[in-house]
Amino acid sequence: MHEISDFRSDTVTRPTPEMYEAMRTAPLGDDVLGDEPTVKKLEKMVADMLGKEAAVYLPSGTQSNQVAIALHCNRGQELICEFLSHTYNNESGAIAFIAGAQVRPIHGKRGVMDPAEVEKMIRPVNLHQPRTTLITVENTSNAAGGAIVPLENILAIADIVKKNKPNIKYHLDGARLWNAHVATGIPLRQWCAPFDTVSVCLSKGLCSPVGSVLVGGRDDIERARYLRKQLGGGMRQSGILAACGIVSVTKMIDRLAEDHKKAHRLAEGVTALKGVDIDMSTVQTNIVNFGVPGREREFEGWRKRLQEERVLALHLNSRWRFVMHNDVDHDDVDRALKALRAILS
Ligand SMILES: *Cc1c(COP(=O)(O)O)cnc(C)c1O
């Protein structure tokens, strides 16, 4: 059994033994000088897997999304996204700070936007209004508890984007696209085909210590490389990290199914607790998100009690979030349920 059951995020995973070995033996170069063989290998692999022409390796998902937004939006232009989006709420105001763009958020359902609403929110082109130049989707939706945005919804919005080509681009924040792929069986390329650019994280369920990849057309990725350098994301001998990324994308995807099973088990247990508000229909991947209405002021005390039982979890926006990953197992789920029962019975 683990010393600590850490459900705070799937980013807390440690590199696997195979990753340490890959780091030790990876051929290295200088990525800023353009000759990092291990980074180049990872970029080519991910571009192929996701069905795009090119890819660029970045230090974080935030930088990857923000580079994509800066590619597609100039100062004073506008993007449309769902109200819960990470790019809008959890990237420290970077849309305004880096691209200088503004956001027109849409209230969706479990992170899913209504295509008719998206169409309505596209600005007419005139002297007075900001230009709409980008629509972004997040899949899976982090704040909606790991819920999957269905492919039909993505395709319906893609049709609207097509009608507005070339003025409007389409970006996917696919930090956990791997989870949507494993949960549905829909191939990664099919998920990515409608989008101009896609950002994926290697540092979450796939266990790399850091790293994200942005994929898209050759010209976009060329410009993305320049933007990454401007943001200080040129990482020299980053092959030592990219080596872990290669293990992530070749060995760590299928095991996400285990995380989904653990999430389901924890959620079922939580459903039985007193006063809990949980929407089982959102428990589709590796996140369990629930509220205990009216008792939010006790949450911080509960967090400390859980910690005393060696269970770490976060409450965000008045809801609890437990995230499954490679370094929690079924015993950890049992420990969490036992601790929650002690608090909520
Ligand atoms: C984690 C995450 C990111 C990127 O986060 P970093 O910590 O910057 O790597 C982007 N989008 C979503 C939905 C995420 O969950």
Side-chain angles (χ1 to χ4, degrees), residues 11 59-63 65 86-87 91 138-142 173 175-176 201 203-204 211-212 321:
T11 56
S60 71
T62 296
Q63 192 177 95
N65 279 326
H86 193 280
T87 48
E91 299 189 1
E138 180 177 314
N139 205 12
T140 64
S141 169
N142 182 341
D173 176 359
R176 295 188 183 80
C201 285
S203 57
K204 297 190 168 159
S212 280
R321 192 183 79 159

Side-chain angles (χ1 to χ4, degrees), residues 175-248:
R176 295 188 183 80
L177 181 65
W178 319 106
N179 296 81
H181 156 63
V182 167
T184 59
I186 297 171
L188 287 164
R189 283 167 169 241
Q190 206 172 330
W191 280 116
C192 295
F195 294 99
D196 294 290
T197 50
V198 176
S199 170
V200 289
C201 285
L202 307 171
S203 57
K204 297 190 168 159
L206 303 191
C207 300
S208 276
V210 295
S212 280
V213 181
L214 181 69
V215 300
R218 218 177 303 283
D219 292 348
D220 274 347
I221 297 306
E222 189 86 13
R223 285 174 56 220
R225 224 174 262 291
Y226 193 84
L227 282 161
R228 180 188 66 168
K229 180 70 161 55
Q230 289 180 310
L231 294 173
M235 293 190 293
R236 305 292 177 183
Q237 294 172 35
S238 41
I240 204 156
L241 297 168
C244 297
I246 291 170
V247 178
S248 284

